[in-house]
Amino acid sequence: MLLRRYIGRRLSDYYNQPSQSVVGSLTSTNINNNNNDTTTSSSSIIDFQSLWLGEYQWKRLFQKLYNEQQGQWLTPVELFRPYYSYILTNWIVVTSQQQQQQQQQQ
């Protein structure tokens, strides 16, 4: 069997799965970074200001979240809620304004 066919079949199997079996979610947990516990809550925003150990603490928290997902991956929107959405929205607005200014100058 050719390598490209094998890879194609494996990718096809992966993408044919229901999304909930591949993509995880943080909607049912609330991340408390002060003592690295997770508790059930309607809110699931990571409190980045409480990551006072910086990168080390973030990596530990990230590993814990990944282990809890049992192989499912998390999107950047889930991990960096609400900041990722704010940044993306800001980028869209700035880009749109720049394009409008360019069109008006022409």
Side-chain angles (χ1 to χ4, degrees), residues 28-59:
S28 63
T29 58
N30 182 26
I31 313 308
N32 183 348
N33 300 326
N34 294 328
N35 57 9
N36 293 326
D37 290 337
T38 58
T39 56
T40 303
S41 174
S42 61
S43 173
S44 62
I45 296 173
I46 297 172
D47 182 13
F48 288 100
Q49 292 179 348
S50 71
L51 295 175
W52 50 273
L53 292 177
E55 183 179 357
Y56 170 76
Q57 193 173 7
W58 164 248
K59 286 182 178 180

PDB file of all heavy atoms in Angstrom, residues 28-59:
ATOM      1  N   SER A  28     -18.212  22.346  31.084  1.00  0.00           N
ATOM      2  CA  SER A  28     -18.734  21.780  32.325  1.00  0.00           C
ATOM      3  C   SER A  28     -17.792  21.943  33.503  1.00  0.00           C
ATOM      4  O   SER A  28     -18.089  21.512  34.594  1.00  0.00           O
ATOM      5  CB  SER A  28     -19.042  20.295  32.136  1.00  0.00           C
ATOM      6  OG  SER A  28     -17.848  19.609  31.846  1.00  0.00           O
ATOM      7  N   THR A  29     -16.626  22.568  33.305  1.00  0.00           N
ATOM      8  CA  THR A  29     -15.692  22.719  34.414  1.00  0.00           C
ATOM      9  C   THR A  29     -15.300  24.166  34.595  1.00  0.00           C
ATOM     10  O   THR A  29     -15.287  24.955  33.667  1.00  0.00           O
ATOM     11  CB  THR A  29     -14.414  21.900  34.185  1.00  0.00           C
ATOM     12  OG1 THR A  29     -13.810  22.325  32.976  1.00  0.00           O
ATOM     13  CG2 THR A  29     -14.693  20.423  34.149  1.00  0.00           C
ATOM     14  N   ASN A  30     -14.990  24.519  35.806  1.00  0.00           N
ATOM     15  CA  ASN A  30     -14.468  25.837  36.138  1.00  0.00           C
ATOM     16  C   ASN A  30     -13.045  25.644  36.625  1.00  0.00           C
ATOM     17  O   ASN A  30     -12.819  24.877  37.542  1.00  0.00           O
ATOM     18  CB  ASN A  30     -15.327  26.492  37.220  1.00  0.00           C
ATOM     19  CG  ASN A  30     -14.832  27.884  37.553  1.00  0.00           C
ATOM     20  OD1 ASN A  30     -14.216  28.543  36.733  1.00  0.00           O
ATOM     21  ND2 ASN A  30     -15.126  28.321  38.755  1.00  0.00           N
ATOM     22  N   ILE A  31     -12.095  26.304  36.008  1.00  0.00           N
ATOM     23  CA  ILE A  31     -10.699  26.106  36.329  1.00  0.00           C
ATOM     24  C   ILE A  31     -10.294  27.067  37.440  1.00  0.00           C
ATOM     25  O   ILE A  31     -10.359  28.271  37.286  1.00  0.00           O
ATOM     26  CB  ILE A  31      -9.805  26.349  35.096  1.00  0.00           C
ATOM     27  CG1 ILE A  31     -10.348  25.626  33.864  1.00  0.00           C
ATOM     28  CG2 ILE A  31      -8.382  25.942  35.398  1.00  0.00           C
ATOM     29  CD1 ILE A  31     -10.646  24.175  34.029  1.00  0.00           C
ATOM     30  N   ASN A  32      -9.887  26.525  38.561  1.00  0.00           N
ATOM     31  CA  ASN A  32      -9.397  27.329  39.671  1.00  0.00           C
ATOM     32  C   ASN A  32      -7.890  27.145  39.720  1.00  0.00           C
ATOM     33  O   ASN A  32      -7.400  26.119  40.157  1.00  0.00           O
ATOM     34  CB  ASN A  32     -10.051  26.871  40.979  1.00  0.00           C
ATOM     35  CG  ASN A  32      -9.620  27.721  42.153  1.00  0.00           C
ATOM     36  OD1 ASN A  32      -8.684  28.509  42.054  1.00  0.00           O
ATOM     37  ND2 ASN A  32     -10.311  27.552  43.268  1.00  0.00           N
ATOM     38  N   ASN A  33      -7.154  28.154  39.255  1.00  0.00           N
ATOM     39  CA  ASN A  33      -5.712  28.022  39.124  1.00  0.00           C
ATOM     40  C   ASN A  33      -4.968  28.130  40.440  1.00  0.00           C
ATOM     41  O   ASN A  33      -3.822  27.730  40.523  1.00  0.00           O
ATOM     42  CB  ASN A  33      -5.184  29.109  38.173  1.00  0.00           C
ATOM     43  CG  ASN A  33      -5.806  28.981  36.811  1.00  0.00           C
ATOM     44  OD1 ASN A  33      -6.074  27.880  36.362  1.00  0.00           O
ATOM     45  ND2 ASN A  33      -6.052  30.093  36.169  1.00  0.00           N
ATOM     46  N   ASN A  34      -5.589  28.660  41.467  1.00  0.00           N
ATOM     47  CA  ASN A  34      -4.868  28.856  42.723  1.00  0.00           C
ATOM     48  C   ASN A  34      -4.456  27.537  43.356  1.00  0.00           C
ATOM     49  O   ASN A  34      -3.393  27.415  43.913  1.00  0.00           O
ATOM     50  CB  ASN A  34      -5.706  29.679  43.699  1.00  0.00           C
ATOM     51  CG  ASN A  34      -5.897  31.093  43.193  1.00  0.00           C
ATOM     52  OD1 ASN A  34      -5.022  31.629  42.516  1.00  0.00           O
ATOM     53  ND2 ASN A  34      -7.030  31.676  43.488  1.00  0.00           N
ATOM     54  N   ASN A  35      -5.318  26.538  43.282  1.00  0.00           N
ATOM     55  CA  ASN A  35      -4.951  25.245  43.853  1.00  0.00           C
ATOM     56  C   ASN A  35      -5.039  24.128  42.820  1.00  0.00           C
ATOM     57  O   ASN A  35      -5.056  22.966  43.180  1.00  0.00           O
ATOM     58  CB  ASN A  35      -5.823  24.933  45.073  1.00  0.00           C
ATOM     59  CG  ASN A  35      -7.297  24.946  44.738  1.00  0.00           C
ATOM     60  OD1 ASN A  35      -7.692  25.023  43.584  1.00  0.00           O
ATOM     61  ND2 ASN A  35      -8.123  24.868  45.771  1.00  0.00           N
ATOM     62  N   ASN A  36      -5.119  24.496  41.542  1.00  0.00           N
ATOM     63  CA  ASN A  36      -5.136  23.552  40.429  1.00  0.00           C
ATOM     64  C   ASN A  36      -6.275  22.544  40.523  1.00  0.00           C
ATOM     65  O   ASN A  36      -6.138  21.396  40.135  1.00  0.00           O
ATOM     66  CB  ASN A  36      -3.800  22.830  40.300  1.00  0.00           C
ATOM     67  CG  ASN A  36      -2.700  23.772  39.889  1.00  0.00           C
ATOM     68  OD1 ASN A  36      -2.938  24.711  39.132  1.00  0.00           O
ATOM     69  ND2 ASN A  36      -1.497  23.536  40.369  1.00  0.00           N
ATOM     70  N   ASP A  37      -7.408  22.938  41.078  1.00  0.00           N
ATOM     71  CA  ASP A  37      -8.585  22.080  41.144  1.00  0.00           C
ATOM     72  C   ASP A  37      -9.548  22.452  40.039  1.00  0.00           C
ATOM     73  O   ASP A  37      -9.549  23.563  39.539  1.00  0.00           O
ATOM     74  CB  ASP A  37      -9.314  22.242  42.491  1.00  0.00           C
ATOM     75  CG  ASP A  37      -8.526  21.647  43.631  1.00  0.00           C
ATOM     76  OD1 ASP A  37      -7.688  20.765  43.369  1.00  0.00           O
ATOM     77  OD2 ASP A  37      -8.757  22.075  44.779  1.00  0.00           O
ATOM     78  N   THR A  38     -10.394  21.492  39.692  1.00  0.00           N
ATOM     79  CA  THR A  38     -11.490  21.786  38.782  1.00  0.00           C
ATOM     80  C   THR A  38     -12.778  21.456  39.506  1.00  0.00           C
ATOM     81  O   THR A  38     -12.881  20.435  40.180  1.00  0.00           O
ATOM     82  CB  THR A  38     -11.404  20.955  37.482  1.00  0.00           C
ATOM     83  OG1 THR A  38     -11.402  19.582  37.831  1.00  0.00           O
ATOM     84  CG2 THR A  38     -10.163  21.296  36.690  1.00  0.00           C
ATOM     85  N   THR A  39     -13.755  22.329  39.397  1.00  0.00           N
ATOM     86  CA  THR A  39     -15.049  22.104  40.017  1.00  0.00           C
ATOM     87  C   THR A  39     -16.132  22.336  38.989  1.00  0.00           C
ATOM     88  O   THR A  39     -15.962  23.127  38.072  1.00  0.00           O
ATOM     89  CB  THR A  39     -15.273  23.062  41.204  1.00  0.00           C
ATOM     90  OG1 THR A  39     -15.127  24.393  40.750  1.00  0.00           O
ATOM     91  CG2 THR A  39     -14.273  22.782  42.313  1.00  0.00           C
ATOM     92  N   THR A  40     -17.240  21.643  39.145  1.00  0.00           N
ATOM     93  CA  THR A  40     -18.344  21.802  38.207  1.00  0.00           C
ATOM     94  C   THR A  40     -18.955  23.182  38.369  1.00  0.00           C
ATOM     95  O   THR A  40     -19.228  23.624  39.471  1.00  0.00           O
ATOM     96  CB  THR A  40     -19.407  20.724  38.447  1.00  0.00           C
ATOM     97  OG1 THR A  40     -18.781  19.452  38.327  1.00  0.00           O
ATOM     98  CG2 THR A  40     -20.524  20.836  37.447  1.00  0.00           C
ATOM     99  N   SER A  41     -19.159  23.847  37.229  1.00  0.00           N
ATOM    100  CA  SER A  41     -19.712  25.195  37.243  1.00  0.00           C
ATOM    101  C   SER A  41     -20.183  25.534  35.847  1.00  0.00           C
ATOM    102  O   SER A  41     -19.832  24.879  34.885  1.00  0.00           O
ATOM    103  CB  SER A  41     -18.639  26.189  37.695  1.00  0.00           C
ATOM    104  OG  SER A  41     -19.122  27.496  37.579  1.00  0.00           O
ATOM    105  N   SER A  42     -20.984  26.595  35.748  1.00  0.00           N
ATOM    106  CA  SER A  42     -21.435  27.024  34.431  1.00  0.00           C
ATOM    107  C   SER A  42     -20.373  27.857  33.727  1.00  0.00           C
ATOM    108  O   SER A  42     -20.431  28.073  32.545  1.00  0.00           O
ATOM    109  CB  SER A  42     -22.730  27.826  34.552  1.00  0.00           C
ATOM    110  OG  SER A  42     -22.493  28.971  35.345  1.00  0.00           O
ATOM    111  N   SER A  43     -19.390  28.351  34.471  1.00  0.00           N
ATOM    112  CA  SER A  43     -18.332  29.174  33.912  1.00  0.00           C
ATOM    113  C   SER A  43     -17.071  28.335  33.749  1.00  0.00           C
ATOM    114  O   SER A  43     -16.760  27.516  34.593  1.00  0.00           O
ATOM    115  CB  SER A  43     -18.040  30.353  34.844  1.00  0.00           C
ATOM    116  OG  SER A  43     -16.914  31.050  34.388  1.00  0.00           O
ATOM    117  N   SER A  44     -16.350  28.539  32.657  1.00  0.00           N
ATOM    118  CA  SER A  44     -15.140  27.751  32.444  1.00  0.00           C
ATOM    119  C   SER A  44     -14.002  28.619  31.941  1.00  0.00           C
ATOM    120  O   SER A  44     -13.210  28.191  31.135  1.00  0.00           O
ATOM    121  CB  SER A  44     -15.425  26.632  31.453  1.00  0.00           C
ATOM    122  OG  SER A  44     -15.791  27.184  30.213  1.00  0.00           O
ATOM    123  N   ILE A  45     -13.902  29.816  32.437  1.00  0.00           N
ATOM    124  CA  ILE A  45     -12.859  30.730  32.005  1.00  0.00           C
ATOM    125  C   ILE A  45     -11.618  30.493  32.851  1.00  0.00           C
ATOM    126  O   ILE A  45     -11.693  30.435  34.079  1.00  0.00           O
ATOM    127  CB  ILE A  45     -13.331  32.184  32.124  1.00  0.00           C
ATOM    128  CG1 ILE A  45     -14.509  32.415  31.174  1.00  0.00           C
ATOM    129  CG2 ILE A  45     -12.205  33.157  31.825  1.00  0.00           C
ATOM    130  CD1 ILE A  45     -15.157  33.763  31.320  1.00  0.00           C
ATOM    131  N   ILE A  46     -10.476  30.356  32.207  1.00  0.00           N
ATOM    132  CA  ILE A  46      -9.210  30.203  32.914  1.00  0.00           C
ATOM    133  C   ILE A  46      -8.792  31.577  33.422  1.00  0.00           C
ATOM    134  O   ILE A  46      -8.730  32.536  32.666  1.00  0.00           O
ATOM    135  CB  ILE A  46      -8.134  29.626  31.982  1.00  0.00           C
ATOM    136  CG1 ILE A  46      -8.533  28.235  31.517  1.00  0.00           C
ATOM    137  CG2 ILE A  46      -6.781  29.595  32.684  1.00  0.00           C
ATOM    138  CD1 ILE A  46      -7.636  27.659  30.439  1.00  0.00           C
ATOM    139  N   ASP A  47      -8.505  31.655  34.695  1.00  0.00           N
ATOM    140  CA  ASP A  47      -8.074  32.917  35.305  1.00  0.00           C
ATOM    141  C   ASP A  47      -6.568  33.056  35.102  1.00  0.00           C
ATOM    142  O   ASP A  47      -5.771  32.588  35.909  1.00  0.00           O
ATOM    143  CB  ASP A  47      -8.437  32.943  36.784  1.00  0.00           C
ATOM    144  CG  ASP A  47      -8.055  34.255  37.449  1.00  0.00           C
ATOM    145  OD1 ASP A  47      -7.740  35.231  36.731  1.00  0.00           O
ATOM    146  OD2 ASP A  47      -8.077  34.293  38.689  1.00  0.00           O
ATOM    147  N   PHE A  48      -6.181  33.710  34.008  1.00  0.00           N
ATOM    148  CA  PHE A  48      -4.763  33.824  33.664  1.00  0.00           C
ATOM    149  C   PHE A  48      -4.003  34.700  34.652  1.00  0.00           C
ATOM    150  O   PHE A  48      -2.797  34.530  34.818  1.00  0.00           O
ATOM    151  CB  PHE A  48      -4.600  34.360  32.240  1.00  0.00           C
ATOM    152  CG  PHE A  48      -4.965  33.351  31.195  1.00  0.00           C
ATOM    153  CD1 PHE A  48      -6.191  33.404  30.571  1.00  0.00           C
ATOM    154  CD2 PHE A  48      -4.089  32.344  30.850  1.00  0.00           C
ATOM    155  CE1 PHE A  48      -6.543  32.466  29.623  1.00  0.00           C
ATOM    156  CE2 PHE A  48      -4.426  31.397  29.909  1.00  0.00           C
ATOM    157  CZ  PHE A  48      -5.652  31.459  29.287  1.00  0.00           C
ATOM    158  N   GLN A  49      -4.678  35.608  35.323  1.00  0.00           N
ATOM    159  CA  GLN A  49      -3.995  36.465  36.295  1.00  0.00           C
ATOM    160  C   GLN A  49      -3.540  35.675  37.514  1.00  0.00           C
ATOM    161  O   GLN A  49      -2.624  36.098  38.213  1.00  0.00           O
ATOM    162  CB  GLN A  49      -4.889  37.627  36.708  1.00  0.00           C
ATOM    163  CG  GLN A  49      -5.125  38.598  35.580  1.00  0.00           C
ATOM    164  CD  GLN A  49      -6.027  39.744  35.988  1.00  0.00           C
ATOM    165  OE1 GLN A  49      -6.648  39.721  37.035  1.00  0.00           O
ATOM    166  NE2 GLN A  49      -6.091  40.753  35.138  1.00  0.00           N
ATOM    167  N   SER A  50      -4.152  34.537  37.772  1.00  0.00           N
ATOM    168  CA  SER A  50      -3.745  33.734  38.920  1.00  0.00           C
ATOM    169  C   SER A  50      -2.580  32.801  38.582  1.00  0.00           C
ATOM    170  O   SER A  50      -2.098  32.090  39.455  1.00  0.00           O
ATOM    171  CB  SER A  50      -4.921  32.923  39.447  1.00  0.00           C
ATOM    172  OG  SER A  50      -5.246  31.897  38.540  1.00  0.00           O
ATOM    173  N   LEU A  51      -2.137  32.809  37.355  1.00  0.00           N
ATOM    174  CA  LEU A  51      -0.985  31.984  36.965  1.00  0.00           C
ATOM    175  C   LEU A  51       0.301  32.721  37.334  1.00  0.00           C
ATOM    176  O   LEU A  51       1.079  33.126  36.500  1.00  0.00           O
ATOM    177  CB  LEU A  51      -1.019  31.671  35.463  1.00  0.00           C
ATOM    178  CG  LEU A  51      -2.180  30.823  34.978  1.00  0.00           C
ATOM    179  CD1 LEU A  51      -2.148  30.689  33.469  1.00  0.00           C
ATOM    180  CD2 LEU A  51      -2.175  29.465  35.627  1.00  0.00           C
ATOM    181  N   TRP A  52       0.544  32.875  38.616  1.00  0.00           N
ATOM    182  CA  TRP A  52       1.659  33.684  39.090  1.00  0.00           C
ATOM    183  C   TRP A  52       3.008  33.018  38.876  1.00  0.00           C
ATOM    184  O   TRP A  52       4.034  33.674  38.951  1.00  0.00           O
ATOM    185  CB  TRP A  52       1.463  34.078  40.547  1.00  0.00           C
ATOM    186  CG  TRP A  52       1.114  32.926  41.446  1.00  0.00           C
ATOM    187  CD1 TRP A  52      -0.135  32.443  41.700  1.00  0.00           C
ATOM    188  CD2 TRP A  52       2.012  32.107  42.182  1.00  0.00           C
ATOM    189  NE1 TRP A  52      -0.077  31.374  42.551  1.00  0.00           N
ATOM    190  CE2 TRP A  52       1.239  31.151  42.863  1.00  0.00           C
ATOM    191  CE3 TRP A  52       3.389  32.085  42.335  1.00  0.00           C
ATOM    192  CZ2 TRP A  52       1.796  30.184  43.674  1.00  0.00           C
ATOM    193  CZ3 TRP A  52       3.943  31.123  43.150  1.00  0.00           C
ATOM    194  CH2 TRP A  52       3.150  30.192  43.814  1.00  0.00           C
ATOM    195  N   LEU A  53       3.045  31.709  38.590  1.00  0.00           N
ATOM    196  CA  LEU A  53       4.314  31.044  38.281  1.00  0.00           C
ATOM    197  C   LEU A  53       4.637  31.088  36.795  1.00  0.00           C
ATOM    198  O   LEU A  53       5.621  30.523  36.356  1.00  0.00           O
ATOM    199  CB  LEU A  53       4.296  29.592  38.754  1.00  0.00           C
ATOM    200  CG  LEU A  53       4.277  29.382  40.267  1.00  0.00           C
ATOM    201  CD1 LEU A  53       4.196  27.906  40.603  1.00  0.00           C
ATOM    202  CD2 LEU A  53       5.494  30.005  40.913  1.00  0.00           C
ATOM    203  N   GLY A  54       3.771  31.727  36.038  1.00  0.00           N
ATOM    204  CA  GLY A  54       4.037  31.937  34.618  1.00  0.00           C
ATOM    205  C   GLY A  54       3.924  30.677  33.783  1.00  0.00           C
ATOM    206  O   GLY A  54       2.988  29.891  33.915  1.00  0.00           O
ATOM    207  N   GLU A  55       4.901  30.499  32.907  1.00  0.00           N
ATOM    208  CA  GLU A  55       4.867  29.419  31.923  1.00  0.00           C
ATOM    209  C   GLU A  55       4.785  28.041  32.583  1.00  0.00           C
ATOM    210  O   GLU A  55       4.052  27.163  32.122  1.00  0.00           O
ATOM    211  CB  GLU A  55       6.109  29.499  31.036  1.00  0.00           C
ATOM    212  CG  GLU A  55       6.141  28.466  29.943  1.00  0.00           C
ATOM    213  CD  GLU A  55       7.366  28.565  29.064  1.00  0.00           C
ATOM    214  OE1 GLU A  55       8.182  29.473  29.260  1.00  0.00           O
ATOM    215  OE2 GLU A  55       7.507  27.718  28.181  1.00  0.00           O
ATOM    216  N   TYR A  56       5.513  27.847  33.663  1.00  0.00           N
ATOM    217  CA  TYR A  56       5.499  26.557  34.359  1.00  0.00           C
ATOM    218  C   TYR A  56       4.088  26.186  34.804  1.00  0.00           C
ATOM    219  O   TYR A  56       3.612  25.082  34.558  1.00  0.00           O
ATOM    220  CB  TYR A  56       6.442  26.600  35.564  1.00  0.00           C
ATOM    221  CG  TYR A  56       6.299  25.402  36.469  1.00  0.00           C
ATOM    222  CD1 TYR A  56       6.844  24.174  36.104  1.00  0.00           C
ATOM    223  CD2 TYR A  56       5.604  25.492  37.669  1.00  0.00           C
ATOM    224  CE1 TYR A  56       6.710  23.072  36.926  1.00  0.00           C
ATOM    225  CE2 TYR A  56       5.458  24.392  38.494  1.00  0.00           C
ATOM    226  CZ  TYR A  56       6.015  23.189  38.127  1.00  0.00           C
ATOM    227  OH  TYR A  56       5.859  22.100  38.929  1.00  0.00           O
ATOM    228  N   GLN A  57       3.410  27.118  35.443  1.00  0.00           N
ATOM    229  CA  GLN A  57       2.060  26.847  35.933  1.00  0.00           C
ATOM    230  C   GLN A  57       1.085  26.659  34.777  1.00  0.00           C
ATOM    231  O   GLN A  57       0.194  25.817  34.834  1.00  0.00           O
ATOM    232  CB  GLN A  57       1.602  27.961  36.861  1.00  0.00           C
ATOM    233  CG  GLN A  57       0.359  27.608  37.649  1.00  0.00           C
ATOM    234  CD  GLN A  57       0.022  28.657  38.685  1.00  0.00           C
ATOM    235  OE1 GLN A  57       0.645  29.711  38.741  1.00  0.00           O
ATOM    236  NE2 GLN A  57      -0.961  28.375  39.505  1.00  0.00           N
ATOM    237  N   TRP A  58       1.245  27.441  33.707  1.00  0.00           N
ATOM    238  CA  TRP A  58       0.378  27.283  32.537  1.00  0.00           C
ATOM    239  C   TRP A  58       0.546  25.902  31.929  1.00  0.00           C
ATOM    240  O   TRP A  58      -0.422  25.238  31.588  1.00  0.00           O
ATOM    241  CB  TRP A  58       0.671  28.365  31.496  1.00  0.00           C
ATOM    242  CG  TRP A  58       0.102  28.022  30.157  1.00  0.00           C
ATOM    243  CD1 TRP A  58       0.798  27.707  29.028  1.00  0.00           C
ATOM    244  CD2 TRP A  58      -1.276  27.911  29.795  1.00  0.00           C
ATOM    245  NE1 TRP A  58      -0.051  27.401  28.004  1.00  0.00           N
ATOM    246  CE2 TRP A  58      -1.341  27.529  28.451  1.00  0.00           C
ATOM    247  CE3 TRP A  58      -2.466  28.092  30.489  1.00  0.00           C
ATOM    248  CZ2 TRP A  58      -2.536  27.332  27.782  1.00  0.00           C
ATOM    249  CZ3 TRP A  58      -3.665  27.891  29.810  1.00  0.00           C
ATOM    250  CH2 TRP A  58      -3.682  27.519  28.477  1.00  0.00           C
ATOM    251  N   LYS A  59       1.790  25.441  31.810  1.00  0.00           N
ATOM    252  CA  LYS A  59       2.023  24.118  31.231  1.00  0.00           C
ATOM    253  C   LYS A  59       1.407  23.020  32.088  1.00  0.00           C
ATOM    254  O   LYS A  59       0.859  22.048  31.556  1.00  0.00           O
ATOM    255  CB  LYS A  59       3.519  23.873  31.039  1.00  0.00           C
ATOM    256  CG  LYS A  59       4.093  24.647  29.876  1.00  0.00           C
ATOM    257  CD  LYS A  59       5.561  24.356  29.680  1.00  0.00           C
ATOM    258  CE  LYS A  59       6.094  25.108  28.485  1.00  0.00           C
ATOM    259  NZ  LYS A  59       7.527  24.842  28.266  1.00  0.00           N
TER     260      LYS A  59
END
